[in-house]
Amino acid sequence: MLFAPANRRDLAPKLARSGADAAILDLEDGVAPSGKDDARLAVSESLPTMAESNPDLPVFVRVNAASSQWFAEDLAVALDSGASGIVIPKIESPESVERVQGAIDERGLTGVDVLAGVESAAGVHHVEAIFAAGPSVCYFGAEDYVADIGGIRTRAGQEVLYARSRVALAAHINDVTALDQVVLEFHDDERFVEDAQFGRAIGYQGKICIHPSQVPLANRCFTPTDDQIERSRRLLDQHAAAAVQGLGVIEFDGQMVDEPLVRQARRVVAIADAIGASR
Amino acid sequence: MLFAPANRRDLAPKLARSGADAAILDLEDGVAPSGKDDARLAVSESLPTMAESNPDLPVFVRVNAASSQWFAEDLAVALDSGASGIVIPKIESPESVERVQGAIDERGLTGVDVLAGVESAAGVHHVEAIFAAGPSVCYFGAEDYVADIGGIRTRAGQEVLYARSRVALAAHINDVTALDQVVLEFHDDERFVEDAQFGRAIGYQGKICIHPSQVPLANRCFTPTDDQIERSRRLLDQHAAAAVQGLGVIEFDGQMVDEPLVRQARRVVAIADAIGASR
Amino acid sequence: MLFAPANRRDLAPKLARSGADAAILDLEDGVAPSGKDDARLAVSESLPTMAESNPDLPVFVRVNAASSQWFAEDLAVALDSGASGIVIPKIESPESVERVQGAIDERGLTGVDVLAGVESAAGVHHVEAIFAAGPSVCYFGAEDYVADIGGIRTRAGQEVLYARSRVALAAHINDVTALDQVVLEFHDDERFVEDAQFGRAIGYQGKICIHPSQVPLANRCFTPTDDQIERSRRLLDQHAAAAVQGLGVIEFDGQMVDEPLVRQARRVVAIADAIGASR
């Protein structure tokens, strides 16, 4: 998912061309307090335009934190302008998810995603309860987490290994799609790839990008290859056929396949289908 | 503990000769679905034979997962054939422990161990509750955990550090003997030793082995030396003598000794006694 | 904070000259069982003397563990002799905090700190509940934790990364000042600095020192620079002014500043004020 400050109207067309799976118009950290009103106006203008020019690109809006004075209005404008999803930054409790979901339900909207941004000590501390409240997507925000806990970011990233791992596990348990931390150094491709590969190893399914140049790198790291997709479809077909005969475990390409591998195949196919739909 | 597929009848004598502290006859991942019936038959044949030829070698049976169609029959055959313990793979909840313990109690058996295989996201997420249900042994299964969470295994193993650490801590809290992850590369002794040493550093008390060549390496890493055993026995003697006089802390070899060190000495002596009994 | 065995009366003046933010007179691991009575007597002598010669240096007393036969008397002597705080070693449950706090309240004392020493498997397992019981300071004790869990200490320290990270997070959530693990190799400055820098990266706010030579190294790693202090004071001033106008987020030096950064600035100023008061 690729971020851009909502008031940078010039960036909206670039989001669509970037190849990202989804775009995020940011009303929070990327927008100064004095620019919040204008950014909100920009959201109401950009969302319909982007939907028209790129109907397959989901466009999320990152509202300001639930504790801020801007939250309620941000949320209203985003939902009323047709946002595909709402990003809740610095989430600290399940109530924020419920509040956003309540605003979605109130409007009778369906298919609007709630993305929980876990990027504070309280967010990590309550992450299991937050994800149980039902967001469909999340990200782990290393920069803000470390600032909040009073630590220091390092390239090796050992200072966030506990939090980053715990968020990935909680996401998996609650069927929340997990997006990995931002890499601020957007001119350093090697660093991004290194970080994305470890994010994938630890269980993340994608990356938050802050620059279009990061998008193809993320796609390469996280997108299954054609071989993997074909193999996964065959595996699911055989598994489904076996299930009809009451079998839960099958032999496939000389390997015994049980639930973890079936779930992995389902994820690969879900990603492939999502890519097919959005590209 | 050394694994072998239960239907590989030729391996049973090798398990006994390997020097492992215990053997596991596997009915799960090591056996194809079409071979399950035969493997179960092999269990009923091998267990009495092995008990006769090697009465001191505990032989466990790994049944199929509690959610599978094979679980109940696997469990019945293993217990009725005299298994020393039951390995529950991919455990996800305390109920599986209770179910196996219930089957043991129903038969009026005593001294049959329950080993919880923690190797899924749900297993790690619920590990504290699972261990509180009373298994006596556990292992952490890195391969399946990472497959389940959709990650990638690396040699450095940072992707499982959180889960591997959390399982070791929960095991310790609940007095569960903790066995460390498998090393699949069974021709790479250096890698095994490196992995075993870190497993020991983090609090594991042994290794799951998948090849006889790994057993002496594991024994060397995890077995206390004669010096350590002698020192631990002396320490416990002095501590017991002091306790009679109402003292909880003693001076020993110039060092102040309190509970953590006493518990460590007890573990060393317990291992030494177990080795004495089984070798 | 700098430790010295309480019965080493010769060290008390050195504690004051060390430049440490606080001193700890140790009645626990640093004192042999046969020396406990004398050490307690030394506490009752040293505390008033140190308060007279260095009124700004907080002097804590580390009592023996709550489960030991010495705990109650240690606590009484420390509190009745004017200790600035009580260090509870090897804490395993919130009840120990409550017991110490009860003894403080009983005497009608105020401003006496409770420091929870988290250095056992049980301590880490219950750390969230222990910190919720209200200690104001804590330390993570790697040596005892690893001994308790039956592991092995390594220089890289990966074996404690989970526990060390979890303690730092729980401390932050409960507003407990977190002090990082001891470095036993007190002749190895490089190692101390490396360890302290990572401790800081992970969210610790200071170090436990066991030798005066470690104090300036710790102070250099953890003390904010004059620039950071000045910048933090300005930030808090502007934030306070904005709050009067109902604004929670401000622009500061070209950056958007919200809660995490405000809390970080508050911590910097609190440290600066504490240093101003104690030096």
Side-chain angles (χ1 to χ4, degrees), chain A:
Chain A
M1 295 182 84
L2 176 61
F3 259 90
N7 53 354
R8 289 288 306 276
R9 290 166 173 84
D10 55 317
L11 295 180
K14 292 187 187 173
L15 289 173
R17 281 198 306 270
S18 69
D21 293 328
I24 303 178
L25 299 177
D26 186 19
L27 290 171
E28 198 222 6
D29 279 358
V31 176
S34 57
K36 299 288 184 193
D37 286 338
D38 177 53
R40 215 179 281 125
L41 183 65
V43 161
S44 70
E45 297 162 4
S46 297
L47 281 175
T49 316
M50 291 173 81
E52 213 185 311
S53 57
N54 297 81
D56 291 333
L57 179 75
V59 183
F60 286 53
V61 173
R62 181 160 80 169
V63 298
N64 284 280
S67 57
S68 75
Q69 70 265 44
W70 302 299
F71 174 73
E73 204 173 339
D74 287 353
L75 184 58
V77 168
L79 290 176
D80 294 338
S81 309
S84 308
I86 301 295
V87 180
I88 312 173
K90 300 186 182 66
I91 193 161
E92 305 218 325
S93 74
E95 285 71 40
S96 300
V97 175
E98 289 154 15
R99 224 168 128 192
V100 170
Q101 193 58 55
I104 293 168
D105 296 344
E106 216 170 74
R107 285 164 173 80
L109 299 170
T110 54
V112 177
D113 285 298
V114 178
L115 189 159
V118 179
E119 45 192 342
S120 66
V124 173
H125 183 65
H126 295 122
V127 68
E128 292 84 9
I130 291 169
F131 288 176
S136 50
V137 196
C138 74
Y139 66 72
F140 172 63
E143 308 303 324
D144 279 317
Y145 174 73
V146 166
D148 186 27
I149 207 169
I152 297 168
R153 284 285 285 144
T154 68
R155 175 154 185 172
Q158 291 279 305
E159 72 281 0
V160 294
L161 184 58
Y162 171 89
R164 197 180 180 191
S165 301
R166 183 170 163 186
V167 169
L169 174 57
H172 188 82
I173 290 290
N174 291 285
D175 274 318
V176 177
T177 299
L179 303 180
D180 193 32
Q181 63 198 17
V182 154
V183 174
L184 290 179
E185 299 75 8
F186 57 80
H187 292 299
D188 190 341
D189 286 6
E190 197 192 320
R191 181 160 181 174
F192 184 90
V193 169
E194 190 185 297
D195 201 71
Q197 280 173 338
F198 185 65
R200 182 164 178 202
I202 217 171
Y204 284 90
Q205 293 153 267
K207 240 350 198 183
I208 294 290
C209 299
I210 55 163
H211 193 273
S213 68
Q214 296 180 327
V215 172
L217 303 175
N219 284 342
R220 213 176 306 144
C221 286
F222 287 98
T223 306
T225 62
D226 288 348
D227 262 19
Q228 287 171 322
I229 296 168
E230 181 271 339
R231 198 178 171 277
S232 298
R233 290 200 198 276
R234 273 196 302 125
L235 187 156
L236 292 179
D237 286 350
Q238 292 192 22
H239 185 260
V244 172
Q245 305 166 42
L247 297 173
V249 181
I250 58 165
E251 246 178 302
F252 179 77
D253 288 0
Q255 193 187 3
M256 204 178 101
V257 166
D258 57 5
E259 268 308 296
L261 291 173
V262 171
R263 269 181 257 164
Q264 212 169 14
R266 270 196 207 109
R267 274 195 299 268
V268 167
V269 170
I271 294 169
D273 289 347
I275 292 169
S278 74
R279 284 188 192 159

Side-chain angles (χ1 to χ4, degrees), chain C residues 101-183:
Chain C
Q101 193 58 55
I104 293 168
D105 296 344
E106 218 169 73
R107 286 164 173 80
L109 299 170
T110 53
V112 177
D113 285 298
V114 178
L115 188 160
V118 180
E119 44 192 343
S120 67
V124 174
H125 183 65
H126 295 122
V127 67
E128 293 82 9
I130 291 169
F131 288 176
S136 49
V137 196
C138 74
Y139 66 72
F140 172 63
E143 308 303 325
D144 280 317
Y145 174 74
V146 166
D148 186 28
I149 207 169
I152 297 169
R153 284 285 285 143
T154 68
R155 176 156 186 170
Q158 291 279 305
E159 72 281 359
V160 294
L161 184 57
Y162 171 89
R164 196 179 179 190
S165 302
R166 184 170 161 186
V167 169
L169 173 58
H172 188 82
I173 289 290
N174 291 287
D175 274 317
V176 177
T177 299
L179 302 181
D180 193 32
Q181 62 197 20
V182 154
V183 174

Side-chain angles (χ1 to χ4, degrees), chain C residues 42-66:
Chain C
V43 161
S44 70
E45 296 162 5
S46 298
L47 281 175
T49 316
M50 292 174 80
E52 214 186 309
S53 58
N54 296 82
D56 291 333
L57 180 75
V59 183
F60 286 53
V61 174
R62 181 161 78 169
V63 298
N64 283 280

